[in-house]
Amino acid sequence: MGNESKGNDAGLTLDRRDFLKGIGLGTGSAAALAGCGRAPVRYAIPLLVPEEEQTPGVVAHYASTCTACPAACGQLVTVREGRPVKLEGLAGHPISRGGLCAIGQADLRALYEPTRPQGPTVGGSKASWADLDKRVADGLAKAKAAGKQVAVLSRTIVSPTGRAVIEDFLKPYGGKLVEYDADATPASAALEAWAQVAGRALLPALHVQRADLLVTLGGDPLATGYEPVSFTRQYADRKRAAATEGELRHVHIGATLSLTGAGADERIQASAGEQRAIAAWLLGQIAAASADELGKQAAVALAGAAKPAHLAPIEALAKELLAKRGKSLLLSSSDDRGEQLAIALANQLLGNVGKTLDTDQPSLVRRGLDGDLLALRAALDKGEVGAIFVMGLDPASQLPDGAGWLKSLKATALSVLLGDRPTEALASFTAVAAANHGLESWGDAMVRPGLWTPQQPTVRPLFDTRQTWASFLTWSGAKETDFRKHLMASWQANVYR
């Protein structure tokens, strides 16, 4: 029986759906049966004029930099017939050293995601890039005339050339770049703590391979730290070197099960509040044994600190740390600034800075401060922001109080989203500048001062998208909007000089 209606002698009509209902099959069953039909035929058509450098069935490999998160690990992209098909770690990368996390490997799916933004939109409707650029130019002019702020909200930008493009874009408006990373391991408290200890907000680069004693408080740095691939590689190498360099003893203090806790030699169960008390008590014991002025001041300040729970193993741990001066490493994953400050001071008093921690060549993969995000939100709610550009973040799911952020963005005269991922927040923006995926883009990264790594496209843009940096060059009124040429000039001036 087909889909078409059939007439009978009484003038009645009966289609397939009515027939199925009549014999007792509901709507769900009818839909299920309809779903058993043959799928549309799609043909794989070879290229009319194949690329000279492509040989069917023969893969090519491209060395690049992963853009799935700010850790910017080295990446080896396997390409077949002009399409990326596999992502792996790049063995020669000095930081990630051949590793690539699951998020980095899965980033290939985002390239082919059918629901990703596929072209520019203005007011929720499809538009040309010329229309979007005009809308942005008009919005920026109105914001400047009204004396309102222009802001860019982004996850940490590790591209030195891209950061320069953003700074040039914001300069005429006196605008501000606000960075925020929606991570399982918050970095803002650690940045603020080291700003007090080292004089600038930074995350020290870790050298686990130089440590004999590792103490981790909370979190899961092996799985969700700010540089999990690098940390895991160092951790594994140090464990393997036990026969020649002695054992690495690892003590994990935490409340929940984790990959880091599972790998520890000793695990002490403690709640978040207890972890803070333990960090303060350890600092007090270390400061009391210190001869320098900072230690004496800390010892006086912590003289009345309450003894933490699990006192016996913590006392033993304090003695171990004092015996391993310069060869120990304390890490906390807490978003509590007091705990992070205690850990930073303890590392400094133990002489770990410059040995197992490096503040001269710090990690540059996290720079966002929670205070800056809160200040931006307050300015938005007061109507002080005339234009805001959000890149690489989903306000609905990645910012605290996502619903409130969407309301604030909708009330702003000009709000532009630059991204390559599907999000429910699209309707809250004045315009959406659909961005290239990292595998479609030129770029670079700097995860340590002076360490430049390149990023190259491995496929032409699949949709009507534009690289984020090229969009900002266009809105800046730059004479040259080809970001590849800016990248070449930047490397000639800073790398090949």
Side-chain angles (χ1 to χ4, degrees), residues 208 212-216 218-223 231-232 235-236 238-240 247-254 256-268:
V208 184
D212 290 340
L213 176 61
L214 172 64
V215 180
T216 51
D220 196 359
L222 283 173
F231 187 84
T232 301
Y235 185 87
R238 180 62 184 86
K239 285 287 189 179
R240 292 191 190 101
E247 293 284 347
L248 168 66
R249 177 165 153 73
H250 177 195
V251 179
H252 181 72
I253 304 170
T256 59
L257 296 176
S258 65
L259 182 64
T260 304
D265 299 293
E266 180 182 354
R267 182 171 175 267
I268 302 172

Side-chain angles (χ1 to χ4, degrees), residues 19 25 48 65-66 72-73 76 82 142 144 200 265 331 343 363 374 385 390 414 421 461 470 488 492:
F19 172 75
L25 294 176
L48 182 62
T65 299
C66 181
C73 297
L76 185 67
K142 291 178 181 178
K144 188 173 184 179
R200 56 188 177 127
D265 299 293
L331 299 176
I343 294 299
S363 172
L374 294 175
V385 179
V390 180
L414 177 64
R421 309 297 165 102
M488 292 172 61
Q492 287 170 355

Side-chain angles (χ1 to χ4, degrees), residues 253-312:
I253 304 170
T256 59
L257 296 176
S258 65
L259 182 64
T260 304
D265 299 293
E266 180 182 354
R267 182 171 175 267
I268 302 172
Q269 190 167 359
S271 67
E274 290 171 339
Q275 289 171 37
R276 176 173 179 170
I278 289 172
W281 193 85
L282 285 174
L283 173 61
Q285 298 301 301
I286 295 167
S290 176
D292 63 25
E293 188 62 30
L294 177 62
K296 293 176 181 177
Q297 293 176 5
V300 171
L302 295 167
K307 293 184 178 181
H310 317 289
L311 182 60

Side-chain angles (χ1 to χ4, degrees), residues 336-465:
D336 182 276
R337 188 171 64 178
E339 180 177 332
Q340 291 287 358
L341 183 57
I343 294 299
L345 287 171
N347 275 309
Q348 186 166 19
L349 292 174
L350 286 169
N352 295 334
V353 176
K355 296 175 182 177
T356 59
L357 289 168
D358 191 346
T359 55
D360 292 329
Q361 291 288 308
S363 172
L364 303 179
V365 302
R366 295 292 185 276
R367 301 192 188 189
L369 299 175
D370 290 347
D372 292 342
L373 183 69
L374 294 175
L376 175 60
R377 174 65 188 279
L380 278 171
D381 291 341
K382 293 177 182 178
E384 298 173 354
V385 179
I388 182 170
F389 299 80
V390 180
M391 49 185 281
L393 284 172
D394 181 356
S397 63
Q398 293 184 311
L399 296 182
D401 184 24
W405 270 95
L406 296 185
K407 183 178 178 181
S408 298
L409 289 168
K410 192 174 290 187
T412 304
L414 177 64
S415 56
V416 181
L417 176 67
L418 302 97
D420 64 341
R421 309 297 165 102
T423 167
E424 62 181 277
L426 294 176
S428 299
F429 286 87
T430 308
V432 176
N436 289 0
H437 186 276
L439 294 171
E440 302 169 320
S441 306
W442 288 100
D444 58 6
M446 182 187 290
V447 297
R448 299 287 188 275
L451 176 61
W452 295 64
T453 57
Q455 170 197 338
Q456 61 176 320
T458 57
V459 63
R460 291 189 177 92
L462 303 179
F463 305 107
D464 184 22
T465 57

Side-chain angles (χ1 to χ4, degrees), residues 72-400:
C73 297
Q75 187 178 69
L76 185 67
V77 186
T78 301
V79 177
R80 184 188 294 272
E81 277 92 53
R83 292 287 187 270
V85 295
K86 184 174 176 57
L87 305 180
E88 301 173 271
L90 182 64
H93 194 278
I95 305 298
S96 58
R97 296 167 54 201
L100 191 65
C101 71
I103 293 175
Q105 295 183 39
D107 195 41
L108 183 66
R109 295 175 62 90
L111 172 66
Y112 300 112
E113 171 59 51
T115 61
R116 61 180 279 204
Q118 299 183 9
T121 64
V122 175
S125 301
K126 290 183 179 180
S128 66
W129 281 107
D131 291 339
L132 183 143
D133 293 339
K134 184 178 185 306
R135 177 68 183 86
V136 170
D138 292 343
L140 288 170
K142 291 178 181 178
K144 188 173 184 179
K148 293 191 173 183
Q149 300 177 27
V150 175
V152 173
L153 173 61
S154 170
R155 67 181 187 178
T156 294
I157 298 174
V158 293
S159 168
T161 307
R163 181 176 288 272
V165 169
I166 297 295
E167 291 172 352
D168 289 343
F169 166 75
L170 290 171
K171 192 178 297 182
Y173 310 99
K176 184 174 183 180
L177 168 63
V178 176
E179 293 167 290
Y180 177 80
D181 296 287
D183 294 327
T185 303
S188 179
L191 288 166
E192 293 175 15
W194 279 102
Q196 291 184 257
V197 174
R200 56 188 177 127
L202 55 84
L203 289 179
L206 306 178
H207 295 293
V208 184
Q209 73 277 12
R210 300 176 185 172
D212 290 340
L213 176 61
L214 172 64
V215 180
T216 51
L217 282 81
D220 196 359
L222 283 173
T224 58
Y226 53 86
E227 286 185 314
V229 173
S230 172
F231 187 84
T232 301
R233 174 65 71 185
Q234 293 185 46
Y235 185 87
D237 288 348
R238 180 62 184 86
K239 285 287 189 179
R240 292 191 190 101
T244 57
E245 299 181 18
E247 293 284 347
L248 168 66
R249 177 165 153 73
H250 177 195
V251 179
H252 181 72
I253 304 170
T256 59
L257 296 176
S258 65
L259 182 64
T260 304
D265 299 293
E266 180 182 354
R267 182 171 175 267
I268 302 172
Q269 190 167 359
S271 67
E274 290 171 339
Q275 289 171 37
R276 176 173 179 170
I278 289 172
W281 193 85
L282 285 174
L283 173 61
Q285 298 301 301
I286 295 167
S290 176
D292 63 25
E293 188 62 30
L294 177 62
K296 293 176 181 177
Q297 293 176 5
V300 171
L302 295 167
K307 293 184 178 181
H310 317 289
L311 182 60
I314 300 302
E315 284 182 329
L317 180 59
K319 293 177 182 178
E320 281 190 82
L321 286 167
L322 290 169
K324 298 289 186 180
R325 292 176 180 271
K327 288 193 173 184
S328 58
L329 177 59
L330 289 91
L331 299 176
S332 171
S333 299
S334 174
D335 60 352
D336 182 276
R337 188 171 64 178
E339 180 177 332
Q340 291 287 358
L341 183 57
I343 294 299
L345 287 171
N347 275 309
Q348 186 166 19
L349 292 174
L350 286 169
N352 295 334
V353 176
K355 296 175 182 177
T356 59
L357 289 168
D358 191 346
T359 55
D360 292 329
Q361 291 288 308
S363 172
L364 303 179
V365 302
R366 295 292 185 276
R367 301 192 188 189
L369 299 175
D370 290 347
D372 292 342
L373 183 69
L374 294 175
L376 175 60
R377 174 65 188 279
L380 278 171
D381 291 341
K382 293 177 182 178
E384 298 173 354
V385 179
I388 182 170
F389 299 80
V390 180
M391 49 185 281
L393 284 172
D394 181 356
S397 63
Q398 293 184 311
L399 296 182

